[in-house]
Amino acid sequence: QSALTQPPSVSGSPGQSVTISCTGTSSDVGNYNRVSWYQQSPGTAPKLMIYEVSNRLSGVPDRFSGSKSGNTASLTISGLQAEDEAGYYCSSYTTSSTVIFGGGTKLTVL
Amino acid sequence: VQLVESGGGLVQPGGSLRLSCAVSGFSFSGYYMDWVRQAPGKGLEWVGRSRNKDHNYITEYAASVKGRFTISRDDSKNSLYLQVNSLTTDDTAVYYCVKVKGGTVASLDLWGQGTLVTVSS
């Protein structure tokens, strides 16, 4: 099973909004509301930010929001801050009872 | 709350290792636990899962490791294990022990710091 498709990179200026897409198939993203988003800074373990499409983990700023339409999920970060610069990964449950990740997106805050 | 992996290192192609994950700070026995790996400079790859006792400790694996990797757990020791066999250079990665958020099947809410496995001759 191929990885979910994410753009390799996105960028935005402080205060702006950016959206990262995550495209799968009807066997994963399209079949379940079980999409998660993770933030990873260099040299550190990933951190869960959003789960089950749009639920923020406790402590995650409400600048982070998730959504889904069909086979594509999205993570939107509004009011960009320098500290948001990191790698972002989506994941989804699959009909094979496995978990699949996206290839990752590097967010640059200009 | 801590997940501490150990057991990584340098191993020759075809070799084996047993990775361990010691857990503290939450009720380990009640949760599904996963292994996720990340090759140097690459993205995340789900390796497999151990369900909890209520779900008969069922294990599930990614296609890329099925038949070569085995996940087990010892609830009495709050520990998760990953036996990795028939290693190839493609298995070189940091291996993370990860807790699955309760009530979900695909939200990985607590991660260890990872242990590096390097497969090289």
Short mmCIF file of all heavy atoms in Angstrom, two decimals, chain A residues 1 34-36 38 40 44-48 50-52 57 89 91-93 96-104, chain B residues 34 36 38 42-46 49 51 60-63 96 101 103-114:
data_model
loop_
_atom_site.label_atom_id
_atom_site.label_comp_id
_atom_site.label_asym_id
_atom_site.label_seq_id
_atom_site.Cartn_x
_atom_site.Cartn_y
_atom_site.Cartn_z
N GLN A 1 0.85 -1.20 0.00
CA GLN A 1 0.00 0.00 0.00
C GLN A 1 0.88 1.25 0.00
O GLN A 1 1.77 1.38 0.84
CB GLN A 1 -0.90 -0.01 1.24
CG GLN A 1 -2.01 0.99 1.19
CD GLN A 1 -3.11 0.69 2.23
OE1 GLN A 1 -2.94 -0.13 3.11
NE2 GLN A 1 -4.23 1.37 2.09
N ARG A 34 -10.64 8.57 10.61
CA ARG A 34 -9.53 8.18 11.49
C ARG A 34 -8.22 8.70 10.94
O ARG A 34 -7.26 7.96 10.77
CB ARG A 34 -9.50 6.67 11.68
CG ARG A 34 -10.69 6.18 12.49
CD ARG A 34 -10.86 4.69 12.48
NE ARG A 34 -11.92 4.29 13.43
CZ ARG A 34 -12.43 3.06 13.50
NH1 ARG A 34 -11.99 2.12 12.68
NH2 ARG A 34 -13.36 2.78 14.39
N VAL A 35 -8.22 9.98 10.65
CA VAL A 35 -7.03 10.66 10.16
C VAL A 35 -6.40 11.44 11.31
O VAL A 35 -7.10 12.12 12.07
CB VAL A 35 -7.37 11.63 9.02
CG1 VAL A 35 -6.14 12.43 8.59
CG2 VAL A 35 -7.95 10.86 7.83
N SER A 36 -5.11 11.32 11.43
CA SER A 36 -4.36 12.06 12.45
C SER A 36 -3.27 12.90 11.78
O SER A 36 -2.85 12.61 10.66
CB SER A 36 -3.69 11.11 13.44
OG SER A 36 -4.64 10.33 14.14
N TYR A 38 0.57 14.80 12.72
CA TYR A 38 1.70 14.82 13.65
C TYR A 38 2.66 15.93 13.24
O TYR A 38 2.87 16.19 12.05
CB TYR A 38 2.44 13.48 13.64
CG TYR A 38 1.55 12.32 13.99
CD1 TYR A 38 0.77 11.69 13.02
CD2 TYR A 38 1.44 11.88 15.31
CE1 TYR A 38 -0.08 10.65 13.34
CE2 TYR A 38 0.59 10.83 15.64
CZ TYR A 38 -0.16 10.23 14.65
OH TYR A 38 -1.01 9.20 14.99
N GLN A 40 6.66 17.13 13.68
CA GLN A 40 7.98 16.63 14.06
C GLN A 40 9.03 17.69 13.80
O GLN A 40 9.23 18.11 12.65
CB GLN A 40 8.33 15.35 13.31
CG GLN A 40 9.64 14.73 13.78
CD GLN A 40 10.00 13.45 13.04
OE1 GLN A 40 9.69 13.29 11.86
NE2 GLN A 40 10.63 12.52 13.75
N THR A 44 13.70 15.10 16.91
CA THR A 44 12.76 14.75 17.98
C THR A 44 11.71 13.79 17.47
O THR A 44 11.52 13.63 16.26
CB THR A 44 12.07 15.99 18.55
OG1 THR A 44 11.19 16.54 17.55
CG2 THR A 44 13.08 17.05 18.97
N ALA A 45 11.03 13.15 18.41
CA ALA A 45 9.94 12.25 18.04
C ALA A 45 8.72 13.05 17.60
O ALA A 45 8.53 14.20 18.01
CB ALA A 45 9.58 11.38 19.23
N PRO A 46 7.90 12.47 16.74
CA PRO A 46 6.66 13.15 16.33
C PRO A 46 5.74 13.38 17.52
O PRO A 46 5.80 12.68 18.53
CB PRO A 46 6.03 12.17 15.34
CG PRO A 46 7.17 11.33 14.87
CD PRO A 46 8.09 11.21 16.04
N LYS A 47 4.88 14.39 17.37
CA LYS A 47 3.87 14.72 18.38
C LYS A 47 2.51 14.72 17.73
O LYS A 47 2.32 15.35 16.67
CB LYS A 47 4.13 16.12 18.95
CG LYS A 47 5.33 16.24 19.84
CD LYS A 47 5.63 17.70 20.18
CE LYS A 47 4.42 18.53 20.48
NZ LYS A 47 4.73 19.93 20.81
N LEU A 48 1.55 14.03 18.35
CA LEU A 48 0.18 14.04 17.84
C LEU A 48 -0.43 15.42 18.06
O LEU A 48 -0.38 15.97 19.17
CB LEU A 48 -0.64 12.98 18.56
CG LEU A 48 -2.13 12.90 18.20
CD1 LEU A 48 -2.32 12.48 16.75
CD2 LEU A 48 -2.85 11.92 19.14
N ILE A 50 -3.57 16.47 15.88
CA ILE A 50 -4.99 16.35 15.53
C ILE A 50 -5.30 14.86 15.38
O ILE A 50 -4.52 14.13 14.78
CB ILE A 50 -5.29 17.05 14.19
CG1 ILE A 50 -4.96 18.53 14.24
CG2 ILE A 50 -6.74 16.81 13.75
CD1 ILE A 50 -5.98 19.39 14.95
N TYR A 51 -6.44 14.42 15.92
CA TYR A 51 -6.83 13.04 15.74
C TYR A 51 -8.29 12.95 15.31
O TYR A 51 -9.07 13.88 15.54
CB TYR A 51 -6.58 12.22 17.01
CG TYR A 51 -7.42 12.61 18.21
CD1 TYR A 51 -8.58 11.91 18.53
CD2 TYR A 51 -7.05 13.69 19.02
CE1 TYR A 51 -9.34 12.25 19.62
CE2 TYR A 51 -7.81 14.04 20.11
CZ TYR A 51 -8.95 13.32 20.42
OH TYR A 51 -9.72 13.68 21.51
N GLU A 52 -8.61 11.86 14.66
CA GLU A 52 -9.97 11.62 14.14
C GLU A 52 -10.47 12.85 13.39
O GLU A 52 -11.54 13.39 13.67
CB GLU A 52 -10.90 11.17 15.27
CG GLU A 52 -10.47 9.79 15.77
CD GLU A 52 -11.33 9.23 16.89
OE1 GLU A 52 -12.04 9.99 17.55
OE2 GLU A 52 -11.25 8.00 17.08
N LEU A 57 -5.56 17.56 20.14
CA LEU A 57 -5.10 17.00 21.40
C LEU A 57 -5.03 18.11 22.43
O LEU A 57 -4.77 19.28 22.08
CB LEU A 57 -3.74 16.35 21.22
CG LEU A 57 -3.34 15.29 22.28
CD1 LEU A 57 -4.22 14.07 22.16
CD2 LEU A 57 -1.88 14.91 22.11
N TYR A 89 3.08 15.25 9.35
CA TYR A 89 2.71 13.98 8.75
C TYR A 89 1.23 13.70 9.04
O TYR A 89 0.77 13.90 10.17
CB TYR A 89 3.53 12.84 9.34
CG TYR A 89 4.99 12.87 8.98
CD1 TYR A 89 5.89 13.58 9.76
CD2 TYR A 89 5.47 12.19 7.86
CE1 TYR A 89 7.25 13.62 9.43
CE2 TYR A 89 6.82 12.22 7.53
CZ TYR A 89 7.70 12.94 8.32
OH TYR A 89 9.03 12.97 8.00
N SER A 91 -1.77 10.60 8.90
CA SER A 91 -1.89 9.15 8.92
C SER A 91 -3.36 8.79 8.88
O SER A 91 -4.23 9.61 9.22
CB SER A 91 -1.23 8.54 10.16
OG SER A 91 -2.01 8.77 11.31
N SER A 92 -3.62 7.55 8.49
CA SER A 92 -4.99 7.07 8.45
C SER A 92 -5.04 5.60 8.77
O SER A 92 -4.09 4.85 8.51
CB SER A 92 -5.60 7.31 7.06
OG SER A 92 -6.89 6.75 6.97
N TYR A 93 -6.16 5.18 9.35
CA TYR A 93 -6.43 3.77 9.50
C TYR A 93 -6.83 3.23 8.14
O TYR A 93 -7.29 4.00 7.28
CB TYR A 93 -7.55 3.57 10.51
CG TYR A 93 -7.64 2.17 11.08
CD1 TYR A 93 -6.56 1.61 11.74
CD2 TYR A 93 -8.82 1.44 11.00
CE1 TYR A 93 -6.64 0.35 12.29
CE2 TYR A 93 -8.91 0.18 11.55
CZ TYR A 93 -7.83 -0.37 12.19
OH TYR A 93 -7.90 -1.61 12.76
N SER A 96 -7.34 -2.67 5.92
CA SER A 96 -6.54 -3.85 6.27
C SER A 96 -6.16 -3.88 7.74
O SER A 96 -5.33 -4.70 8.16
CB SER A 96 -5.25 -3.88 5.43
OG SER A 96 -5.54 -3.92 4.06
N SER A 97 -6.76 -2.98 8.52
CA SER A 97 -6.48 -2.87 9.96
C SER A 97 -5.03 -2.49 10.22
O SER A 97 -4.41 -2.94 11.19
CB SER A 97 -6.81 -4.17 10.70
OG SER A 97 -8.18 -4.46 10.59
N THR A 98 -4.49 -1.68 9.33
CA THR A 98 -3.14 -1.16 9.51
C THR A 98 -3.22 0.36 9.55
O THR A 98 -4.30 0.95 9.38
CB THR A 98 -2.20 -1.59 8.38
OG1 THR A 98 -2.71 -1.08 7.13
CG2 THR A 98 -2.10 -3.11 8.29
N VAL A 99 -2.09 0.99 9.77
CA VAL A 99 -2.00 2.45 9.75
C VAL A 99 -1.04 2.84 8.63
O VAL A 99 -0.01 2.19 8.43
CB VAL A 99 -1.49 2.98 11.10
CG1 VAL A 99 -1.25 4.50 11.04
CG2 VAL A 99 -2.46 2.64 12.23
N ILE A 100 -1.40 3.87 7.89
CA ILE A 100 -0.54 4.33 6.81
C ILE A 100 -0.25 5.81 7.03
O ILE A 100 -1.13 6.58 7.44
CB ILE A 100 -1.20 4.07 5.44
CG1 ILE A 100 -0.24 4.39 4.30
CG2 ILE A 100 -2.51 4.82 5.30
CD1 ILE A 100 -0.74 3.91 2.94
N PHE A 101 0.99 6.20 6.78
CA PHE A 101 1.40 7.60 6.93
C PHE A 101 1.54 8.27 5.56
O PHE A 101 1.73 7.61 4.54
CB PHE A 101 2.76 7.68 7.63
CG PHE A 101 2.70 7.46 9.11
CD1 PHE A 101 2.94 6.21 9.65
CD2 PHE A 101 2.42 8.52 9.97
CE1 PHE A 101 2.89 6.00 11.02
CE2 PHE A 101 2.37 8.32 11.34
CZ PHE A 101 2.61 7.06 11.87
N GLY A 102 1.46 9.59 5.60
CA GLY A 102 1.82 10.37 4.43
C GLY A 102 3.33 10.53 4.36
O GLY A 102 4.04 10.22 5.32
N GLY A 103 3.80 11.03 3.23
CA GLY A 103 5.23 11.18 3.04
C GLY A 103 5.85 12.33 3.81
O GLY A 103 7.08 12.43 3.91
N GLY A 104 5.00 13.20 4.36
CA GLY A 104 5.51 14.31 5.16
C GLY A 104 5.60 15.60 4.39
O GLY A 104 5.84 15.60 3.17
N ASP B 34 2.10 0.36 19.38
CA ASP B 34 2.61 0.26 18.03
C ASP B 34 4.13 0.44 17.99
O ASP B 34 4.73 1.01 18.91
CB ASP B 34 2.00 1.36 17.13
CG ASP B 34 0.55 1.11 16.77
OD1 ASP B 34 -0.05 0.14 17.27
OD2 ASP B 34 0.01 1.90 15.96
N VAL B 36 6.71 2.22 15.14
CA VAL B 36 6.79 3.05 13.94
C VAL B 36 8.27 3.30 13.69
O VAL B 36 9.04 3.51 14.64
CB VAL B 36 6.06 4.39 14.13
CG1 VAL B 36 6.27 5.31 12.92
CG2 VAL B 36 4.58 4.17 14.38
N GLN B 38 11.49 5.21 11.18
CA GLN B 38 11.81 6.35 10.31
C GLN B 38 13.24 6.19 9.83
O GLN B 38 14.18 6.30 10.63
CB GLN B 38 11.63 7.67 11.07
CG GLN B 38 11.80 8.90 10.20
CD GLN B 38 11.37 10.17 10.93
OE1 GLN B 38 11.53 10.31 12.13
NE2 GLN B 38 10.79 11.11 10.18
N LYS B 42 14.03 10.30 6.05
CA LYS B 42 12.80 9.88 5.37
C LYS B 42 11.58 10.06 6.27
O LYS B 42 11.69 10.57 7.39
CB LYS B 42 12.92 8.40 4.96
CG LYS B 42 14.10 8.12 4.05
CD LYS B 42 13.99 8.81 2.72
CE LYS B 42 15.12 8.42 1.79
NZ LYS B 42 15.06 9.15 0.49
N GLY B 43 10.44 9.64 5.77
CA GLY B 43 9.19 9.80 6.51
C GLY B 43 8.93 8.66 7.47
O GLY B 43 9.74 7.76 7.66
N LEU B 44 7.77 8.74 8.10
CA LEU B 44 7.36 7.74 9.08
C LEU B 44 6.75 6.53 8.39
O LEU B 44 6.03 6.67 7.39
CB LEU B 44 6.33 8.35 10.03
CG LEU B 44 6.78 9.59 10.81
CD1 LEU B 44 5.59 10.20 11.56
CD2 LEU B 44 7.91 9.25 11.77
N GLU B 45 7.04 5.36 8.94
CA GLU B 45 6.46 4.12 8.42
C GLU B 45 5.94 3.29 9.59
O GLU B 45 6.70 2.94 10.49
CB GLU B 45 7.48 3.30 7.63
CG GLU B 45 6.90 2.01 7.07
CD GLU B 45 7.91 1.13 6.37
OE1 GLU B 45 9.12 1.34 6.53
OE2 GLU B 45 7.49 0.20 5.66
N TRP B 46 4.66 2.99 9.56
CA TRP B 46 4.06 2.13 10.59
C TRP B 46 4.58 0.72 10.41
O TRP B 46 4.57 0.19 9.28
CB TRP B 46 2.55 2.20 10.46
CG TRP B 46 1.78 1.45 11.49
CD1 TRP B 46 1.47 1.89 12.75
CD2 TRP B 46 1.17 0.16 11.35
NE1 TRP B 46 0.71 0.95 13.41
CE2 TRP B 46 0.51 -0.12 12.57
CE3 TRP B 46 1.10 -0.78 10.34
CZ2 TRP B 46 -0.20 -1.30 12.80
CZ3 TRP B 46 0.41 -1.94 10.54
CH2 TRP B 46 -0.24 -2.20 11.76
N ARG B 49 1.51 -3.50 15.32
CA ARG B 49 0.72 -3.23 16.52
C ARG B 49 0.52 -4.47 17.38
O ARG B 49 0.38 -5.58 16.85
CB ARG B 49 -0.64 -2.71 16.10
CG ARG B 49 -1.72 -2.66 17.19
CD ARG B 49 -2.90 -1.85 16.73
NE ARG B 49 -2.51 -0.46 16.47
CZ ARG B 49 -3.29 0.45 15.91
NH1 ARG B 49 -4.51 0.13 15.55
NH2 ARG B 49 -2.85 1.68 15.72
N ARG B 51 -2.35 -5.39 20.04
CA ARG B 51 -3.58 -5.01 20.73
C ARG B 51 -3.46 -5.43 22.20
O ARG B 51 -2.55 -6.14 22.57
CB ARG B 51 -4.79 -5.66 20.07
CG ARG B 51 -4.99 -5.21 18.62
CD ARG B 51 -6.34 -5.59 18.11
NE ARG B 51 -6.50 -5.25 16.69
CZ ARG B 51 -7.68 -5.15 16.09
NH1 ARG B 51 -8.79 -5.35 16.77
NH2 ARG B 51 -7.74 -4.85 14.81
N GLU B 60 -0.71 -7.05 14.42
CA GLU B 60 -0.88 -6.71 13.02
C GLU B 60 0.41 -6.08 12.53
O GLU B 60 1.12 -5.43 13.31
CB GLU B 60 -2.05 -5.73 12.86
CG GLU B 60 -3.39 -6.39 13.04
CD GLU B 60 -4.42 -5.54 13.77
OE1 GLU B 60 -4.05 -4.68 14.59
OE2 GLU B 60 -5.60 -5.75 13.54
N TYR B 61 0.71 -6.29 11.25
CA TYR B 61 1.99 -5.86 10.71
C TYR B 61 1.82 -5.18 9.35
O TYR B 61 0.93 -5.51 8.58
CB TYR B 61 2.93 -7.05 10.54
CG TYR B 61 3.23 -7.76 11.84
CD1 TYR B 61 2.46 -8.86 12.24
CD2 TYR B 61 4.26 -7.34 12.66
CE1 TYR B 61 2.72 -9.50 13.45
CE2 TYR B 61 4.53 -7.98 13.86
CZ TYR B 61 3.76 -9.05 14.24
OH TYR B 61 4.02 -9.68 15.44
N ALA B 62 2.77 -4.28 9.07
CA ALA B 62 2.85 -3.75 7.72
C ALA B 62 3.34 -4.84 6.77
O ALA B 62 4.09 -5.74 7.19
CB ALA B 62 3.83 -2.57 7.69
N ALA B 63 2.92 -4.76 5.54
CA ALA B 63 3.29 -5.78 4.56
C ALA B 63 4.81 -5.89 4.40
O ALA B 63 5.35 -6.97 4.16
CB ALA B 63 2.64 -5.47 3.21
N TYR B 96 10.51 3.68 16.79
CA TYR B 96 9.79 4.31 17.89
C TYR B 96 8.74 3.37 18.46
O TYR B 96 8.00 2.71 17.71
CB TYR B 96 9.05 5.56 17.41
CG TYR B 96 9.91 6.70 16.96
CD1 TYR B 96 10.11 6.98 15.61
CD2 TYR B 96 10.51 7.56 17.90
CE1 TYR B 96 10.87 8.07 15.20
CE2 TYR B 96 11.27 8.64 17.49
CZ TYR B 96 11.46 8.88 16.15
OH TYR B 96 12.21 9.96 15.74
N LYS B 101 -3.81 6.10 21.41
CA LYS B 101 -4.75 6.82 22.28
C LYS B 101 -5.97 5.96 22.55
O LYS B 101 -6.55 5.36 21.63
CB LYS B 101 -5.16 8.13 21.61
CG LYS B 101 -6.08 9.01 22.42
CD LYS B 101 -6.30 10.33 21.71
CE LYS B 101 -7.39 11.17 22.38
NZ LYS B 101 -7.16 11.40 23.80
N GLY B 103 -9.54 4.50 23.08
CA GLY B 103 -10.79 4.76 22.38
C GLY B 103 -10.62 5.02 20.90
O GLY B 103 -11.59 5.30 20.20
N THR B 104 -9.38 4.96 20.43
CA THR B 104 -9.12 5.15 19.00
C THR B 104 -8.30 3.97 18.49
O THR B 104 -7.78 3.18 19.27
CB THR B 104 -8.34 6.45 18.70
OG1 THR B 104 -6.94 6.27 19.06
CG2 THR B 104 -8.90 7.62 19.50
N VAL B 105 -8.19 3.85 17.18
CA VAL B 105 -7.35 2.80 16.60
C VAL B 105 -6.22 3.35 15.77
O VAL B 105 -5.39 2.59 15.26
CB VAL B 105 -8.18 1.82 15.74
CG1 VAL B 105 -9.11 1.00 16.60
CG2 VAL B 105 -8.93 2.56 14.66
N ALA B 106 -6.17 4.67 15.61
CA ALA B 106 -5.17 5.20 14.69
C ALA B 106 -4.59 6.52 15.15
O ALA B 106 -4.01 7.24 14.34
CB ALA B 106 -5.78 5.36 13.30
N SER B 107 -4.72 6.83 16.45
CA SER B 107 -4.18 8.08 16.97
C SER B 107 -3.05 7.72 17.93
O SER B 107 -3.27 7.15 18.99
CB SER B 107 -5.27 8.86 17.71
OG SER B 107 -6.40 9.03 16.89
N LEU B 108 -1.84 8.05 17.55
CA LEU B 108 -0.65 7.64 18.29
C LEU B 108 -0.22 8.81 19.18
O LEU B 108 0.43 9.75 18.71
CB LEU B 108 0.45 7.24 17.31
CG LEU B 108 0.01 6.24 16.23
CD1 LEU B 108 1.18 5.80 15.37
CD2 LEU B 108 -0.71 5.05 16.82
N ASP B 109 -0.58 8.75 20.47
CA ASP B 109 -0.47 9.95 21.29
C ASP B 109 0.76 10.06 22.16
O ASP B 109 1.03 11.13 22.70
CB ASP B 109 -1.75 10.16 22.12
CG ASP B 109 -1.97 9.07 23.15
OD1 ASP B 109 -1.35 7.99 23.03
OD2 ASP B 109 -2.78 9.30 24.07
N LEU B 110 1.49 8.98 22.35
CA LEU B 110 2.72 9.07 23.14
C LEU B 110 3.82 8.30 22.43
O LEU B 110 3.63 7.13 22.08
CB LEU B 110 2.51 8.49 24.54
CG LEU B 110 1.62 9.30 25.49
CD1 LEU B 110 1.39 8.52 26.77
CD2 LEU B 110 2.27 10.65 25.78
N TRP B 111 4.97 8.96 22.25
CA TRP B 111 6.08 8.38 21.51
C TRP B 111 7.32 8.32 22.39
O TRP B 111 7.60 9.24 23.16
CB TRP B 111 6.39 9.24 20.28
CG TRP B 111 5.30 9.30 19.25
CD1 TRP B 111 4.04 9.82 19.42
CD2 TRP B 111 5.38 8.87 17.90
NE1 TRP B 111 3.33 9.71 18.25
CE2 TRP B 111 4.13 9.14 17.30
CE3 TRP B 111 6.38 8.28 17.12
CZ2 TRP B 111 3.85 8.83 15.95
CZ3 TRP B 111 6.12 7.98 15.79
CH2 TRP B 111 4.87 8.26 15.23
N GLY B 112 8.08 7.25 22.23
CA GLY B 112 9.39 7.19 22.86
C GLY B 112 10.38 8.03 22.09
O GLY B 112 10.03 8.66 21.07
N GLN B 113 11.62 8.02 22.53
CA GLN B 113 12.65 8.82 21.88
C GLN B 113 13.27 8.09 20.69
O GLN B 113 13.97 8.68 19.88
CB GLN B 113 13.74 9.23 22.88
CG GLN B 113 14.86 8.22 23.09
CD GLN B 113 14.42 6.96 23.83
OE1 GLN B 113 13.33 6.91 24.41
NE2 GLN B 113 15.29 5.95 23.85
N GLY B 114 13.00 6.79 20.60
CA GLY B 114 13.47 6.00 19.48
C GLY B 114 14.81 5.32 19.75
O GLY B 114 15.60 5.77 20.58
#
